[in-house]
Amino acid sequence: NGVAHIFIYMTKSKKIHPDLKKSEKKELLFDQKGCKFIPHTLVVRTDQVVHVISADNCSHNFHSFPFKNNAVNKILKPNDQTGIMVKNRKSEKLPVQVKCDIHPWMQAYWLVLNHPYGTVTDSNGKFEIKDIPAGKQKFRVWQEKAGYVSLDSDNAKKSKRGFDIVVKDGETIDLGVIKVTASDFK
């Protein structure tokens, strides 16, 4: 009853909660298994490196299409557990497409941020972003087929590319059920 793999993220953040200034995990794993990228959607901070491997018994290609960072285009051998390390030094305004040029149906998306205020919806369409700074915050909502998604929620001011909310210090905000139209995902 929800839509998975939707990115929800602040466009920028001047303040970062002290506990979140640096990523807890310095390395993220990105696999190619069963001719699929796992995970399909990944939030990456600029202080993290992504270890790209392949658990498949065939060769794959890792090809990224960033807007600000350097593109990577490398072949991975079958069952390549050494893989490659990918570092993104700059935040991206939109999720970056990653694909395999050998198997054209294989694609995934990475959202590269220089702050911790971004996530992706789970298989039930749920998400949580913790320790958002107090004040008016602008969020973008993006999905691979729909592009920007506008939301319909009583707790957020709707915009064409996401929503704005006012966060009070120490407050938890529940956006409730957010409705999107099915025609956005065709």
Side-chain angles (χ1 to χ4, degrees):
N1 291 331
V3 180
H5 303 295
I6 295 180
F7 289 104
I8 296 106
Y9 58 102
M10 284 176 52
T11 55
K12 57 185 167 183
S13 180
K14 293 179 183 174
K15 294 181 185 177
I16 296 177
H17 189 280
D19 295 343
L20 304 175
K21 285 198 183 267
K22 293 185 179 183
S23 296
E24 190 174 307
K25 282 182 156 183
K26 292 297 178 193
E27 184 177 299
L28 302 173
L29 189 64
F30 189 69
D31 200 352
Q32 296 170 82
K33 188 173 184 176
C35 283
K36 291 182 189 177
F37 287 114
I38 299 171
H40 180 70
T41 48
L42 182 66
V43 178
V44 181
R45 286 184 60 186
T46 53
D47 69 344
Q48 295 176 308
V49 64
V50 182
H51 186 190
V52 180
I53 63 170
S54 178
D56 265 347
N57 60 0
C58 63
S59 293
H60 281 296
N61 168 250
F62 173 86
H63 193 173
S64 66
F65 295 87
F67 303 97
K68 295 180 181 178
N69 290 288
N70 292 328
V72 177
N73 190 359
K74 299 277 185 186
I75 297 287
L76 279 90
K77 301 176 296 198
N79 299 306
D80 187 345
Q81 296 301 297
T82 303
I84 57 172
M85 303 302 262
V86 178
K87 177 76 176 148
N88 294 282
R89 299 189 189 290
K90 297 176 185 173
S91 188
E92 299 278 357
K93 290 191 180 226
L94 284 170
V96 171
Q97 183 186 43
V98 172
K99 68 180 196 171
C100 174
D101 295 325
I102 298 168
H103 305 97
W105 62 87
M106 288 178 63
Q107 66 179 1
Y109 291 87
W110 292 3
L111 176 62
V112 181
L113 299 173
N114 61 3
H115 61 75
Y117 306 114
T119 192
V120 64
T121 56
D122 66 18
S123 60
N124 296 311
K126 296 182 186 237
F127 70 95
E128 178 180 54
I129 302 174
K130 293 184 178 189
D131 299 318
I132 298 170
K136 183 179 179 183
Q137 306 299 347
K138 184 177 290 291
F139 285 84
R140 293 289 179 247
V141 181
W142 189 91
Q143 196 269 345
E144 66 187 276
K145 290 188 192 266
Y148 286 116
V149 178
S150 78
L151 305 179
D152 189 8
S153 170
D154 293 335
N155 298 322
K157 183 182 174 194
K158 183 178 175 178
S159 78
K160 290 181 182 178
R161 296 182 175 184
F163 60 95
D164 297 341
I165 58 171
V166 176
V167 178
K168 295 179 183 160
D169 198 26
E171 178 183 49
T172 297
I173 298 173
D174 184 346
L175 295 176
V177 175
I178 299 170
K179 297 176 183 174
V180 294
T181 59
S183 62
D184 286 344
F185 301 97
K186 289 183 179 177

